[in-house]
Amino acid sequence: MFTVAVKDHVMIAHSFRGKVFGPAQAMHGATFVITAEFSTPDIDEHGIVIDIGEAHRVLGVALEPLRYKNLDELPQFTGQNTTTEFLARHIHQELARGLVGAFKGGLRVVLEESHIAWGSYSGAVG
């Protein structure tokens, strides 16, 4: 399996509902480092999995609506706890929409909350 990955980051604010979240129920900020890993069983006729520039561009487009936003105020997240896992799936879905016709294979999105904690979502694209 061949894999190419690109990274970016996003700064957000949000809060959670539920006692399980303890102090994170209050409004707080987070800076997520996001890695998008593109995998295919073989490289294409150009010798690549995906063009790195295109992968980075599509990741930036997927993240732009989240940058410097309070996620509690965004209509697409109404009623949702925007956990790391939830956001990993959301970004995966946005990337999949942006990659139609440009990539077919596996995609893993990893959100690092810190150097000791992260979450991810994986699935096929295309």
Side-chain angles (χ1 to χ4, degrees):
M1 187 68 67
F2 293 90
T3 302
V4 167
V6 294
K7 283 189 172 192
D8 202 339
H9 74 283
V10 66
M11 298 171 74
I12 57 95
H14 62 173
S15 61
F16 297 130
R17 292 173 319 285
K19 287 186 178 186
V20 68
F21 295 106
Q25 292 176 84
M27 181 65 59
H28 61 280
T31 300
F32 291 107
V33 175
I34 297 99
T35 304
E37 298 177 355
F38 303 86
S39 300
T40 56
D42 204 357
I43 51 180
D44 70 11
E45 68 275 9
H46 305 290
I48 61 175
V49 170
I50 187 172
D51 177 74
I52 290 174
E54 179 64 5
H56 197 260
R57 184 194 70 76
V58 173
L59 179 57
V61 169
L63 297 179
E64 193 57 35
L66 309 179
R67 292 188 197 280
Y68 303 106
K69 297 290 192 310
N70 176 352
L71 302 185
D72 296 350
E73 296 175 351
L74 297 180
Q76 65 265 38
F77 300 138
T78 299
Q80 296 292 327
N81 278 326
T82 52
T83 62
T84 302
E85 300 90 336
F86 175 89
L87 290 173
R89 182 182 63 192
H90 170 78
I91 294 166
H92 184 283
Q93 291 168 339
E94 293 301 307
L95 283 169
R97 276 191 268 283
L99 291 166
V100 172
F103 176 76
K104 186 175 183 179
L107 173 60
R108 179 175 182 237
V109 174
V110 180
L111 269 70
E112 295 177 54
E113 293 186 44
S114 72
H115 65 286
I116 61 169
W118 61 92
S120 69
Y121 183 84
S122 299
V125 173

